[in-house]
Amino acid sequence: MVAAVGLLFTACGDDFDDTELNNRVGNLENRVKELEAAVAMLNQEINGVKTLVDAMQNNVYVSKIVEGETGYEIYFTNGEKISIADGKAGQNGKDGDTVTVVLEDGEYYWAVVSDGVTTLLTDDQGNKLPVKGDAPQMRVVMEGQTGYWEVSYDNGQSWERILLEDGTPVTTSGGGGGLFKDVYEKDNVVYFEFLNGDVIEIEKRSDLYMNLKKEIEILVVEFGKSATVEFEAVGVQKTVVTTPDEWEASYKEGVLTITAPAADHASCADLNGEVSVIYFGKENQSSVVSIPVCAAVPVDAPAGAGDVVVNYTFEGEVTVEPQVEWISATVAEGVVTLTVEMNTGVAREGIVLVKGADYTMALVVKQNQEVELLPYGYRAGSEEVVWSKALSELSLTAANANHIAATGKYLIVAAAGEAPVVLDALTGEYVQTLDLGEMAGANAAITADSEGNIVVSSFAEATGFRIGRMKDINDTLEVFITRDSQEYGKDLSVVGDVYGDARLTLMYSPWSSGTTGHLLYAISGGVADDGYWSKIAAGEITDKIDNNNGDVIYRDMGEGAPYFMSGYSSNCFVWAEAGTAQAVQVTTNSNCGAVCLDVAEFNGAKYLMTACDTYFTWSLPDAGIYFADVTTIENFKAGVVFFSTGALEWNAASMGGGTDCALSVSKDGVYMYAYVLHPGGKVGCIRVDCLAE
């Protein structure tokens, strides 16, 4: 569900009573939460409707009904299970809007009911949608205080607003709830009554059923090995088990044991199929439950990070689906490349499914333990240059290049007014340019949040500035903050998730302003507030916080988390918390040019980074990367760690571009990457690790 709520108000004087406003906001927030729950339940029950229709059309029966506090668990004789709300949540919506199914010419079709009017859902060619195949997904999009129903027919890839036959959009005006008014049984028949009064009837056989104790989408069994599946069985007198070729299976006392073909029989075996248990009760009653199975090819992976190549022979379009987070995969014609992360724990296994139109190949990836990690922080002396690249190779104007963003596998280099360039973060190789959509040509700064989402700002436009966001390099940019001020947007930083909860900060931009303030946007549920002007009380370090043309960033999203400031003229990091500030010296040069900051959590420690251009030349010894451990104020006061960038051959005396830095941590938590944009026209990466020696 997407909720976008905007409020603008002005309070004058001391007598303003915001009780009514707070009540309205509270009511709207409560309504949004209720709609979130309603939409989740609706999508769950849409899938349940498909199961009901399939059961009715394929001689599958209800085996038992378990009633809970909020609804029912419905079990079927083929081992499937669905959840249905008890109807109370849907009562308020029975005269409003809900999804249902309609029986026409012996076929069930999806439909929507709005204020008593039933409209069949159709695809973009106007064809009715039968209740088979993939079920549609529903969501509510809020516009002000009105919610509009939208539907997706492609598993959430695209959405369209639901319209009645006269073109009127369907709203949530009548409330939201489940699809069903009631579920009841009579004379061994279970009745599923929709809110519009339609009923689906399915026979109940409570004296004979076999229900899976754990739902199974597909059972993957390695060649020559066995797996067991447990059932709750009632009234079963006799069973007959069928298997694909070369598979073996046996059933005894609620346990089905399945053995995959031996590896040397793979060429003559069915590697995909179903193991079915036909079960019989008294008086010739019978039913069947089936388990999809797939034989798995064992694959040995390196204990450290690396790639494994696996060939396949089936034709047509192929997708690859790793079932664990530590494996990623790509597929080309005839070849699957598996990329594994370093294993810092015990030996592990992970399943990867390679799916064709009519065939699935399963891989069991096995990885031993590689190394042990330090108990805390990075390993001193592990600094290593990964790559360095001249901006002239990227078709960017070096003098305009001023910001970088580290997002997952990519590093994005941005030059003001030009299309940002996307690089492979591990190699520096060109990947593509970034399409900024409505902000193309207006972009000033770019960064990434803690989840890898891309955030872009404009600066000094005729109407002020804008901030846009993208979930990945191929996403469509969405502008979500606008402001009629031209003093911000030249730089920005963010922590958290801009589609969830985040803090976004922008420094006051005019040169030599001498200000120590910044603009803070608090983002909650993906919605930004109106912005807040923040200015710290420096206390005893007033001379240390001249942050003109600098940067500001929060450490994290924790309550009371400190934020940090740096600037062109100062030579220190500034820790600001609860209206006071502490400083730690960075360099001995009074114009170190520490105009960029980033933070990251790595191996239990939280680090703050800056890069210094040292008064327009990186040839001075103070030029480089500086880190501070900001996990605690005591760690912060202990000082900084200096990484020289001399190894990157960045000692150019000719300057023209901007300085920026970015931090990124590998998925396995072993490496932290420090990226630096050099004002002399270069960009590069230094890596540290937390490996125990």
Side-chain angles (χ1 to χ4, degrees):
M1 174 177 168
V2 177
V5 182
L7 294 175
L8 179 65
F9 62 90
T10 303
C12 301
D14 297 329
D15 297 328
F16 177 73
D17 185 355
D18 61 356
T19 302
E20 181 180 354
L21 177 61
N22 288 335
N23 288 339
R24 288 168 56 196
V25 173
N27 290 337
L28 183 57
E29 290 177 347
N30 289 336
R31 184 169 171 232
V32 168
K33 291 179 180 179
E34 290 174 358
L35 283 171
E36 287 178 338
V39 170
M41 180 170 61
L42 177 63
N43 283 316
Q44 173 182 287
E45 294 194 352
I46 285 174
N47 286 295
V49 170
K50 180 180 178 297
T51 301
L52 288 177
V53 173
D54 288 346
M56 186 173 53
Q57 295 176 340
N58 292 285
N59 297 320
V60 175
Y61 311 102
V62 174
S63 60
K64 69 174 181 176
I65 301 175
V66 178
E67 185 172 0
E69 293 182 0
T70 60
Y72 309 91
E73 299 287 336
I74 312 297
Y75 293 80
F76 296 88
T77 56
N78 66 347
E80 293 192 67
K81 181 185 74 170
I82 63 173
S83 299
I84 289 179
D86 58 13
K88 294 176 182 178
Q91 288 301 304
N92 294 332
K94 66 181 179 180
D95 296 323
D97 313 306
T98 187
V99 176
T100 187
V101 296
V102 173
L103 180 63
E104 287 191 359
D105 301 323
E107 184 81 61
Y108 281 93
Y109 296 94
W110 294 107
V112 64
V113 181
S114 180
D115 295 328
V117 178
T118 301
T119 303
L120 290 168
L121 294 178
T122 58
D123 60 20
D124 52 9
Q125 278 82 42
N127 301 312
K128 295 181 292 187
L129 298 170
V131 184
K132 57 185 178 182
D134 293 332
Q137 288 182 318
M138 309 293 291
R139 74 177 184 183
V140 171
V141 174
M142 296 296 298
E143 293 184 2
Q145 297 194 38
T146 302
Y148 294 90
W149 284 106
E150 292 188 348
V151 62
S152 173
Y153 305 121
D154 53 11
N155 198 31
Q157 297 299 310
S158 61
W159 297 86
E160 60 186 70
R161 193 151 289 182
I162 299 174
L163 305 176
L164 299 179
E165 290 183 356
D166 61 0
T168 304
V170 178
T171 72
T172 61
S173 57
L179 299 182
F180 297 93
K181 178 181 179 181
D182 199 6
V183 177
Y184 57 94
E185 57 180 295
K186 182 180 179 182
D187 298 330
N188 289 324
V189 175
V190 181
Y191 297 86
F192 300 88
E193 183 179 356
F194 291 89
L195 291 178
N196 68 344
D198 290 344
V199 176
I200 287 179
E201 303 176 14
I202 300 180
E203 184 180 344
K204 183 181 180 185
R205 291 190 174 176
S206 58
D207 58 345
L208 176 65
Y209 63 83
M210 288 181 62
N211 290 328
L212 287 164
K213 289 188 176 181
K214 183 179 180 181
E215 294 183 36
I216 299 174
E217 180 179 352
I218 184 170
L219 182 67
V220 176
V221 187
E222 188 177 338
F223 279 114
K225 294 191 176 182
S226 299
T228 58
V229 178
E230 295 185 356
F231 291 89
E232 177 190 4
V234 171
V236 176
Q237 303 291 312
K238 179 182 177 182
T239 59
V240 175
V241 181
T242 64
T243 65
D245 284 350
E246 298 292 329
W247 289 74
E248 297 179 0
S250 61
Y251 175 83
K252 183 178 181 181
E253 297 179 353
V255 178
L256 177 65
T257 302
I258 300 174
T259 304
D264 57 0
H265 286 201
S267 60
C268 58
D270 287 334
L271 303 185
N272 285 196
E274 287 187 342
V275 173
S276 298
V277 180
I278 306 169
Y279 58 96
F280 302 85
K282 297 178 181 178
E283 300 176 359
N284 258 356
Q285 286 183 319
S286 66
S287 192
V288 61
V289 60
S290 299
I291 310 295
V293 293
C294 182
V297 178
V299 176
D300 291 326
D307 292 342
V308 181
V309 174
V310 179
N311 298 319
Y312 66 89
T313 57
F314 46 101
E315 298 179 352
E317 184 177 352
V318 173
T319 59
V320 55
E321 300 177 4
Q323 306 298 294
V324 290
E325 292 185 353
W326 53 273
I327 304 175
S328 58
T330 58
V331 60
E333 186 174 352
V335 176
V336 173
T337 301
L338 307 175
T339 301
V340 298
E341 298 175 3
M342 178 181 290
N343 183 12
T344 59
V346 299
R348 58 188 178 182
E349 295 184 0
I351 301 294
V352 177
L353 300 180
V354 183
K355 294 184 176 181
D358 302 309
Y359 184 85
T360 297
M361 178 174 72
L363 309 173
V364 177
V365 181
K366 301 182 177 184
Q367 187 184 43
N368 291 324
Q369 180 180 6
E370 168 68 5
V371 293
E372 294 184 2
L373 302 184
L374 293 172
Y376 178 87
Y378 71 89
R379 177 170 62 93
S382 65
E383 306 85 37
E384 177 184 352
V385 175
V386 181
W387 56 267
S388 175
K389 182 179 289 289
L391 297 181
S392 57
E393 300 178 37
L394 305 179
S395 300
L396 287 174
T397 305
N400 294 339
N402 52 10
H403 289 95
I404 55 177
T407 169
K409 298 185 295 183
Y410 306 109
L411 181 74
I412 304 170
V413 184
E418 301 180 33
V421 173
V422 181
L423 306 179
D424 184 303
L426 296 182
T427 66
E429 296 302 313
Y430 172 86
V431 176
Q432 67 179 62
T433 57
L434 193 65
D435 182 1
L436 296 181
E438 63 181 293
M439 287 184 64
N443 54 297
I446 194 166
T447 190
D449 68 12
S450 306
E451 299 299 319
N453 300 308
I454 303 164
V455 186
V456 183
S457 70
S458 66
F459 176 68
E461 295 185 278
T463 56
F465 70 84
R466 294 175 287 167
I467 298 177
R469 60 189 174 190
M470 306 169 66
K471 291 187 176 180
D472 56 57
I473 62 173
N474 297 309
D475 194 16
T476 300
L477 182 137
E478 169 201 9
V479 173
F480 72 112
I481 294 176
T482 59
R483 194 180 184 97
D484 58 351
S485 170
Q486 296 186 339
E487 288 77 29
Y488 301 91
K490 191 175 181 180
D491 195 4
L492 78 163
S493 293
V494 62
V495 296
D497 178 0
V498 293
Y499 290 92
D501 298 335
R503 293 189 179 110
L504 189 151
T505 48
L506 303 97
M507 285 297 296
Y508 189 73
S509 298
W511 179 260
S512 298
S513 63
T515 181
T516 59
H518 65 277
L519 188 61
L520 165 67
Y521 281 96
I523 301 170
S524 177
V527 179
D529 64 8
D530 292 329
Y532 170 73
W533 169 252
S534 177
K535 185 174 174 65
I536 63 174
E540 298 179 357
I541 59 167
T542 304
D543 61 330
K544 296 290 188 181
I545 56 172
D546 178 9
N547 292 293
N548 49 59
N549 290 81
D551 199 4
V552 58
I553 190 170
Y554 277 78
R555 186 187 64 186
D556 51 58
M557 288 298 297
E559 184 176 353
Y563 63 84
F564 309 102
M565 306 176 74
S566 68
Y568 162 74
S569 299
S570 62
N571 64 341
C572 64
F573 286 132
V574 175
W575 172 302
E577 182 180 6
T580 60
Q582 300 287 338
V584 170
Q585 181 170 299
V586 173
T587 77
T588 58
N589 190 291
S590 61
N591 286 322
C592 73
V595 294
C596 54
L597 295 173
D598 201 9
V599 295
E601 184 170 353
F602 180 59
N603 195 31
K606 296 178 180 179
Y607 288 105
L608 174 70
M609 172 192 181
T610 191
C612 296
D613 57 29
T614 320
Y615 196 34
F616 299 114
T617 174
W618 283 57
S619 61
L620 296 179
D622 287 344
I625 300 170
Y626 291 84
F627 276 88
D629 182 339
V630 294
T631 312
T632 66
I633 186 71
E634 290 76 19
N635 289 6
F636 174 73
K637 291 180 178 180
V640 299
V641 176
F642 171 68
F643 297 159
S644 172
T645 52
L648 293 167
E649 299 181 353
W650 284 357
N651 293 329
S654 158
M655 300 295 158
T659 305
D660 199 13
C661 65
L663 287 172
S664 179
V665 177
S666 62
K667 286 185 177 180
D668 57 13
V670 176
Y671 300 106
M672 181 167 64
Y673 299 90
Y675 300 95
V676 180
L677 177 67
H678 175 237
K682 291 187 177 182
V683 64
C685 173
I686 292 178
R687 184 183 72 185
V688 299
D689 64 51
C690 57
L691 300 173
E693 292 183 312

